[in-house]
Amino acid sequence: MIHSLFLINCSGDIFLEKHWKSVVSQSVCDYFFEAQEKAADVENVPPVISTPHHYLISIYRDKLFFVSVIQTEVPPLFVIEFLHRVADTFQDYFGDSNVGDTLPTGQLSNIPWRRAGVKYTNNEAYFDVVEEIDAIIDKSGSTVFAEIQGVIDACIKLSGMPDLSLSFMNPRLLDDVSFHPCIRFKRWESERVLSFIPPDGNFRLISYRVSSQNLVAIPVYVKHSISFKENSSCGRFDVTIGPKQNMGKTIEGITVTVHMPKVVLNMNLTPTQGGYTFDPVTKVLTWDVGKITPQKLPSLKGLVNLQSGAPKPEENPSLNIQFKIQQLAISGLKVNRLDMYGEKYKPFKGVKYVTKAGKFQVRT
Amino acid sequence: MTDSKYFTTTKKGEIFELKAELNSDKKEKKKEAVKKVIASMTVGKDVSALFPDVVNCMQTDNLELKKLVYLYLMNYAKSQPDMAIMAVNTFVKDCEDPNPLIRALAVRTMGCIRVDKITEYLCEPLRKCLKDEDPYVRKTAAVCVAKLHDINAQLVEDQGFLDTLKDLISDSNPMVVANAVAALSEIAESHPSSNLLDLNPQSINKLLTALNECTEWGQIFILDCLANYTPKDDREAQSICERVTPRLSHANSAVVLSAVKVLMKFMEMLSKDLDYYGTLLKKLAPPLVTLLSAEPELQYVALRNINLIVQKRPEILKHEMKVFFVKYNDPIYVKLEKLDIMIRLASQANIAQVLAELKEYATEVDVDFVRKAVRAIGRCAIKVEQSAERCVSTLLDLIQTKVNYVVQEAIVVIKDIFRKYPNKYESVIATLCENLDSLDEPEARAAMIWIVGEYAERIDNADELLESFLEGFHDESTQVQLQLLTAIVKLFLKKPTETQELVQQVLSLATQDSDNPDLRDRGYIYWRLLSTDPVAAKEVVLAEKPLISEETDLIEPTLLDELICYIGTLASVYHKPPSAFVEGGRVSGPPLAASSVQMGAVDLLGGGLDSLIGDTSFGPPPAAAVPARLGAPTSSGLSDLFDLTSGVGTLSGFYVAPKAVWLPAMKAKGLEISGTFTRQVGSISMDLQLTNKALQVMTDFAIQFNRNSFGLAPAAPLQVHAPLSPNQTVEISLPLNTVGSVMKMEPLNNLQVAVKNNIDVFYFSTLYPLHILFVEDGKMDRQMFLATWKDIPNENETQFQIRDCPLNAEAASSRLQSSNIFTVAKRNVEGQDMLYQSLKLTNGIWVLAELRVQPGSPSLTLSLKCRAPEVSQHVYQAYETILKN
């Protein structure tokens, strides 16, 4: 199992170490730093690194590296999952400030995920159905790949030991699902009902994937023309965004980010809506569009200044699109009802839907 | 009130103040003080001076305060072992507290305090806690056994905790079962040979029941443990699969992958006609795809495993190609893995899509990724014949971009395409030649040179091109030099009149001016060949080459099967069996370089014996033919000497069994093979007698071993100097080494051999006597012997009787010594001679023996002790063979 854990920040300081067995010297992290140097970008550091006497399995979260030292054969996914859980716990505990307000306490109960003796004055159960569209759209606008990654996050503040049943209008949509351990698998298999005694507080009830291509509606389209002239130090940039299959809802929170080629020095653009920034160091163009009004489609046009004398860039940048649609689960998933057994009070119930762009890429 | 304030005090004389507060009468004040101490400790201040005062606070019924004190103890006990003893009494008392939480907390903390003196006191409370009425305490105690084992393994074994732990597998509470399995798995890591997790249908049922109710981490341990079980028949396999399948929907990816491992392994036992088999295949796809939407680190491990799964059962993911399409902001390590899988899944049905993607990738920014994408296009051409034309034209488009590294990669893969589809795409050679000057990487240069040499007759200025390379011959890398030598010899054989000077020049450069032995030897071989018999030279050098196939980059089937059993482990990430990089449960050094794996990847059953020497995807002269006819360039002087002695028999008294028939003629189209094994001055050899009982001449012999328990492998190719005529017999001694790939065989000394000749490939298996593996430095020092004998647990001791062997101690000892079994000490006890002996196997395993000789009795008693007790039976057989012959 995990022998030791090191936490390393972006500037390479090892600011926390924990040893479950004997102490392993910090110098083992040198192998990690070496790999980090080679990777150039922090996100590209390989998660499993071998050293003469150990293996280093690491994750990168919130600008921190969690580096674990392994000495025996272990399932790496076990370690990576565990590290993410450690990171989750830190995030929960520390939040934005340095130290949280309460030291966590635990209490024994028959159900490992729920403590006994929970009490609330207002009993509430909220479910957020959040769907993210991952898609790759090719130059001509047709969909190369698209799928929906959905989750149902719950915030449950119910007293005692409530036993909940959540049913859907169209459970057939859910054929590839991952469950929180509290869900009774048998009930789902036989009746397609989510039956569970929930953990207390915030947790992820299920995550699911809908991938059949024709089922995935693409809510936006992008018209683009990015061109660089041969033997000239400039190019043209022209991007327009419009609504496609948006089920009559407003598309908002649109952001377009583009990693421009290295030879791009600067960009002189005019947005019809929203504002844009171009970072000449990272070469990242960010256009904060806002929402789409179909009467006047937002566009961003202008000139691209290239390093003079440099050859015309070979690669065409991809556009990364972010957006959000409130009150819509794009897969069509709908909650039918929520019933509670085992407790007498009447809880307050609520379901919210939202659709967002996940890894939504448009090739140019 | 918040707890953050504890971290903000910076008053002077803090320690002094804290001390006073810790000793306060008021409970609240005490608690506050302990919190302040913990806060200081957390931010790295040294508060160890407060040890006695903090320990005093331990006796409280306030759980929160107790936890904090325990936290303090875990941190400082190591640096203050003597003071830590003060806390022992309270621990022991807490282990009997009426509150199960306190009992568990106490036993857990004691396990975390890695101080020898404390562990002694831990045993009694731990024993009680393992049998506690409360499951929470039992489950905590189970893990504590593993912790204690890490500190003092002997203590745990002596106290019988391992047996108690095994009993906990049948506990009524699933969490306890899970933790017992986890603890036993952890302990088994450092005791690879021990049989700690001995599973039977009853315990399997217990595990499956616990699986549904324990925590996610427990599920991983249980699933990994289940994967090691072998069901007795297909019905049991199916029933286990049915109960494991729901785990595929778990949110924890490690649970999912461990479940996949169990299913992939047990599926082997199910009949493909079964409806259930099809259902299971369908169920495996969605969870694997889902793993790809997790965090990138998880994706990476998942992809490495999917790579194995698609090779083993391509049908599972054949419709899921698109999920492996690369997103531009995937981390590079994910991109490269996805690419690999895309090629594995490429088929005629989806090749158009795949090619479109690959072409897109070839214009990306990341150099490594672009290179791999270009290579992938070449691999597609080789894999899917219908797409070859489109792939070649895509590659030509890419060459037109003139991006240096793209051009070089494209040329390397085009060379392979030529090999796969001869006389089809040579029209593009002109375009390739245009780019000659821009090639600066050895692999690309070598590929280009190969192309020029191979197609010299179609390239008008082939001699000029090759000559231009020759100018800087000594600055080139070996790969390019070797290729240049071969290419010019080819050119000479095709156009002898104009190129005599060129070939002279390269032969002298290679043989006289180079100190690289490979280059020199190859140069000499060509030289001799050309000067003795140009016709033969033509036959050899310009012989038709075997076609290459995509198989070259597939994992060899037996290794693949082994790796499937290791899904989800480090072995699956490195695509190497654990034996290749984990020794005795300890990681030893980084995995072997890729090349050694490729050696292992040569397939015994794929009929690919031609690939024994050299890399097929690259074109040295028809390699398989050369050594067979000209003698082995790799055989060392030692093994040559050995050839002379092998016929003579045994010089040193080493026992050699008479030759036995291993492969009868009727099973091998007239080839009869008999043989035996010997060991001389540290080298092992296989003495073979080949008889041709067929009516035609046999040539082109080659031999290969399957992976085996001790890594036995031929140290040189099989040398049959002349063709074997009908009714002729030849004796050959084949030197062996023990650096081949290792796989445990049943029985342990089983060796599977493939022999090839011009007629066919034949397979047989034989058992080798273990004493050929006894090494010369197997004599253990006396002190060491005593200590080791004591150290090896008694259950590893096995006793044997050697009957009808009327030897005295002296004679037995000397006879054994000639087979490298050494007498370390001799003792006479009540008229019996006791010989204490040691021997060491080639893989470093020591075997200790006690041989009892009773004067007047024809029987000897042999007791063997070894950390790997499975060898004992075979060592006993070796003893018997040596003593009786």
Side-chain angles (χ1 to χ4, degrees), chain A residues 7 172 176 201 213 223 262:
Chain A
L7 260 58
R172 254 166 224 289
D176 181 6
Q213 191 119 150
K223 276 206 296 196
K262 282 214 176 62

Side-chain angles (χ1 to χ4, degrees), chain B residues 95-285:
Chain B
C95 285
E96 293 180 2
D97 195 280
N99 182 348
L101 271 184
I102 293 192
R103 295 203 294 278
L105 190 62
V107 76
R108 188 174 81 98
T109 310
M110 281 181 91
C112 293
I113 297 181
R114 303 172 60 89
V115 174
D116 284 340
K117 285 182 190 157
I118 290 215
T119 49
E120 285 170 29
Y121 294 97
L122 174 58
C123 293
E124 279 323 301
L126 179 58
R127 196 186 315 283
K128 275 193 199 127
C129 287
L130 281 167
K131 307 220 155 119
D132 199 285
E133 54 174 27
D134 192 292
Y136 184 77
V137 180
R138 291 201 299 279
K139 93 173 169 107
T140 312
V143 172
C144 189
V145 174
K147 287 183 189 161
L148 186 59
H149 187 272
D150 185 56
I151 305 168
N152 190 342
Q154 194 60 48
L155 185 70
V156 168
E157 283 165 36
D158 294 348
Q159 295 277 334
F161 285 143
L162 293 183
D163 293 324
T164 321
L165 212 46
K166 284 185 205 164
D167 293 343
L168 286 183
I169 291 190
S170 343
D171 197 279
S172 57
N173 183 296
M175 308 275 227
V176 179
V177 177
N179 278 14
V181 171
L184 284 169
S185 314
E186 177 99 24
I187 294 171
E189 277 285 332
S190 51
H191 275 258
S193 58
S194 64
N195 229 346
L196 285 176
L197 283 159
D198 196 13
L199 298 175
N200 53 49
Q202 286 75 42
S203 52
I204 287 292
N205 197 31
K206 273 282 174 197
L207 293 188
L208 286 167
T209 312
L211 184 59
N212 289 325
E213 292 167 60
C214 66
T215 67
E216 49 194 317
W217 313 110
Q219 291 182 23
I220 302 168
F221 280 111
I222 293 183
L223 288 166
D224 285 346
C225 178
L226 280 174
N228 289 328
Y229 174 70
T230 313
K232 59 179 191 302
D233 53 28
D234 57 337
R235 290 182 54 184
E236 194 188 4
Q238 178 173 344
S239 103
I240 296 176
C241 287
E242 278 167 357
R243 295 176 71 179
V244 165
T245 318
R247 297 302 117 204
L248 293 176
S249 302
H250 201 285
N252 184 316
S253 61
V255 174
V256 174
L257 201 58
S258 289
V260 168
K261 162 162 63 184
V262 175
L263 297 173
M264 283 293 288
K265 208 180 154 194
F266 289 7
M267 251 174 121
E268 290 283 290
M269 296 188 63
L270 302 179
S271 152
K272 290 199 169 160
D273 311 325
L274 223 58
D275 283 348
Y276 181 70
Y277 181 86
T279 318
L280 200 52
L281 273 186
K282 275 199 207 96
K283 282 196 172 165
L284 278 168

Side-chain angles (χ1 to χ4, degrees), chain A residues 198-212:
Chain A
D200 184 39
N202 294 309
F203 67 101
R204 176 153 296 169
L205 184 63
I206 64 168
S207 52
Y208 58 94
R209 187 175 66 94
V210 180
S211 72
S212 178

Side-chain angles (χ1 to χ4, degrees), chain B residues 637-843:
Chain B
L638 198 74
S639 58
D640 285 344
L641 258 183
F642 192 43
D643 272 351
L644 300 173
T645 58
S646 63
V648 184
T650 59
L651 287 179
S652 62
F654 179 92
Y655 173 69
V656 180
K659 288 198 176 85
V661 175
W662 284 342
L663 183 70
M666 52 182 293
K667 276 196 176 168
K669 300 186 179 161
L671 175 67
E672 184 185 274
I673 300 180
S674 46
T676 185
F677 294 90
T678 62
R679 181 185 185 92
Q680 301 269 343
V681 235
S683 3
I684 309 169
S685 70
M686 189 186 212
D687 292 345
L688 293 166
Q689 181 174 315
L690 308 182
T691 308
N692 182 352
K693 296 196 170 171
L695 294 172
Q696 56 169 315
V697 174
M698 293 179 180
T699 56
D700 301 339
F701 285 95
I703 193 164
Q704 195 179 5
F705 293 178
N706 200 352
R707 291 180 303 140
N708 53 71
S709 313
F710 293 93
L712 277 174
L718 186 64
Q719 311 171 40
V720 181
H721 291 281
L724 198 58
S725 323
N727 279 325
Q728 195 190 348
T729 294
V730 62
E731 304 238 347
I732 297 153
S733 178
L734 178 72
L736 308 183
N737 59 31
T738 51
V739 297
S741 305
V742 173
M743 178 173 69
K744 195 170 165 188
M745 301 294 293
E746 192 53 49
L748 207 61
N749 57 341
N750 189 7
L751 180 68
Q752 297 176 343
V753 182
V755 169
K756 189 201 110 157
N757 62 14
N758 56 331
I759 301 170
D760 205 345
V761 183
F762 312 105
Y763 306 93
F764 64 87
S765 68
T766 175
L767 300 176
Y768 49 88
L770 213 62
H771 63 282
I772 62 167
L773 303 170
F774 297 174
V775 297
E776 281 62 25
D777 63 340
K779 184 160 183 173
M780 201 180 249
D781 167 78
R782 277 175 92 120
Q783 290 301 321
M784 189 67 180
F785 185 93
L786 275 173
T788 314
W789 184 273
K790 268 197 206 148
D791 198 36
I792 299 178
N794 281 334
E795 60 263 29
N796 283 13
E797 180 169 343
T798 14
Q799 213 170 64
F800 304 94
Q801 290 291 328
I802 303 172
R803 293 182 207 288
D804 306 321
C805 184
L807 286 176
N808 64 22
E810 209 67 15
S813 174
S814 82
R815 200 175 279 191
L816 290 167
Q817 175 136 11
S818 32
S819 289
N820 294 339
I821 301 174
F822 301 94
T823 303
V824 176
K826 198 178 142 185
R827 208 150 59 105
N828 190 293
V829 184
E830 296 164 6
Q832 301 180 12
D833 279 324
M834 313 283 271
L835 296 176
Y836 295 92
Q837 303 180 309
S838 71
L839 63 95
K840 192 167 89 172
L841 298 177
T842 45
N843 60 355

Side-chain angles (χ1 to χ4, degrees), chain B residues 374-446:
Chain B
V374 176
R375 272 190 197 229
I377 296 173
R379 279 166 70 185
C380 282
I382 288 165
K383 186 168 180 196
V384 184
E385 181 157 6
Q386 295 80 0
S387 74
E389 190 148 348
R390 213 170 334 165
C391 294
V392 171
S393 82
T394 307
L395 287 169
L396 287 179
D397 285 352
L398 290 172
I399 288 178
Q400 296 309 340
T401 64
K402 302 276 173 200
V403 177
N404 187 277
Y405 53 86
V406 173
V407 173
Q408 309 212 41
E409 288 297 329
I411 287 181
V412 171
V413 295
I414 286 180
K415 173 212 68 189
D416 288 345
I417 297 177
F418 284 171
R419 275 285 303 278
K420 168 81 180 178
Y421 307 107
N423 304 317
K424 231 172 157 182
Y425 300 110
E426 283 80 0
S427 55
V428 308
I429 289 176
T431 320
L432 302 186
C433 289
E434 285 166 21
N435 292 284
L436 211 63
D437 297 334
S438 66
L439 308 180
D440 54 10
E441 291 162 20
E443 200 180 355
R445 286 173 83 83

Side-chain angles (χ1 to χ4, degrees), chain A residues 122-126 155 157-158 338 345-351:
Chain A
N122 295 321
N123 288 294
E124 307 161 314
Y126 297 108
C155 173
K157 295 181 173 170
L158 298 174
L338 176 73
Y345 55 84
K346 269 245 166 298
F348 185 81
K349 306 179 269 193
V351 181

Side-chain angles (χ1 to χ4, degrees), chain B residues 241-513:
Chain B
C241 287
E242 278 167 357
R243 295 176 71 179
V244 165
T245 318
R247 297 302 117 204
L248 293 176
S249 302
H250 201 285
N252 184 316
S253 61
V255 174
V256 174
L257 201 58
S258 289
V260 168
K261 162 162 63 184
V262 175
L263 297 173
M264 283 293 288
K265 208 180 154 194
F266 289 7
M267 251 174 121
E268 290 283 290
M269 296 188 63
L270 302 179
S271 152
K272 290 199 169 160
D273 311 325
L274 223 58
D275 283 348
Y276 181 70
Y277 181 86
T279 318
L280 200 52
L281 273 186
K282 275 199 207 96
K283 282 196 172 165
L284 278 168
L288 288 173
V289 172
T290 300
L291 290 178
L292 299 183
S293 46
E295 286 80 2
E297 301 93 1
L298 296 167
Q299 279 187 51
Y300 170 74
V301 177
L303 286 164
R304 291 296 286 169
N305 280 281
I306 289 173
N307 198 324
L308 296 173
I309 292 167
V310 296
Q311 288 185 63
K312 179 73 191 169
R313 297 192 184 281
E315 62 272 32
I316 296 178
L317 288 168
K318 68 176 174 205
H319 298 305
E320 301 290 347
M321 170 63 88
K322 287 188 175 176
V323 298
F324 299 102
F325 284 1
V326 172
K327 303 185 176 93
Y328 84 89
N329 49 2
D330 282 335
I332 181 72
Y333 56 81
V334 167
K335 284 183 177 174
L336 297 176
E337 292 307 320
K338 281 188 173 174
L339 208 50
D340 235 13
I341 295 170
M342 280 173 68
I343 298 159
R344 300 222 189 277
L345 289 176
S347 66
Q348 201 184 337
N350 57 25
I351 193 73
Q353 256 180 343
V354 174
L355 266 183
E357 280 295 302
L358 292 176
K359 201 173 172 185
E360 190 76 39
Y361 303 161
T363 61
E364 277 221 31
V365 201
D366 192 293
V367 177
D368 286 340
F369 180 57
V370 171
R371 281 174 183 275
K372 194 154 180 178
V374 176
R375 272 190 197 229
I377 296 173
R379 279 166 70 185
C380 282
I382 288 165
K383 186 168 180 196
V384 184
E385 181 157 6
Q386 295 80 0
S387 74
E389 190 148 348
R390 213 170 334 165
C391 294
V392 171
S393 82
T394 307
L395 287 169
L396 287 179
D397 285 352
L398 290 172
I399 288 178
Q400 296 309 340
T401 64
K402 302 276 173 200
V403 177
N404 187 277
Y405 53 86
V406 173
V407 173
Q408 309 212 41
E409 288 297 329
I411 287 181
V412 171
V413 295
I414 286 180
K415 173 212 68 189
D416 288 345
I417 297 177
F418 284 171
R419 275 285 303 278
K420 168 81 180 178
Y421 307 107
N423 304 317
K424 231 172 157 182
Y425 300 110
E426 283 80 0
S427 55
V428 308
I429 289 176
T431 320
L432 302 186
C433 289
E434 285 166 21
N435 292 284
L436 211 63
D437 297 334
S438 66
L439 308 180
D440 54 10
E441 291 162 20
E443 200 180 355
R445 286 173 83 83
M448 194 62 220
I449 293 169
W450 182 85
I451 292 171
V452 174
E454 188 66 18
Y455 300 100
E457 67 275 23
R458 301 168 189 234
I459 305 170
D460 292 336
N461 59 343
D463 50 343
E464 279 171 37
L465 294 176
L466 291 176
E467 195 172 2
S468 71
F469 280 105
L470 208 54
E471 277 160 22
F473 189 77
H474 288 299
D475 301 329
E476 298 283 2
S477 72
T478 311
Q479 188 183 11
V480 178
Q481 290 177 334
L482 286 168
Q483 218 34 253
L484 198 52
L485 171 62
T486 303
I488 292 179
V489 170
K490 283 182 187 165
L491 173 71
F492 171 71
L493 289 166
K494 289 175 179 177
K495 301 180 179 173
T497 45
E498 311 117 76
T499 56
Q500 192 132 21
E501 200 174 313
L502 196 60
V503 81
Q504 285 289 349
Q505 206 182 335
V506 76
L507 285 174
S508 94
L509 278 172
T511 55
Q512 285 159 28
D513 301 343

Side-chain angles (χ1 to χ4, degrees), chain A residues 162-179:
Chain A
D163 195 334
L164 302 179
S165 290
L166 185 71
S167 64
F168 299 93
M169 308 285 273
N170 38 11
R172 254 166 224 289
L173 278 170
L174 303 173
D175 63 346
D176 181 6
V177 201
S178 300
F179 294 123

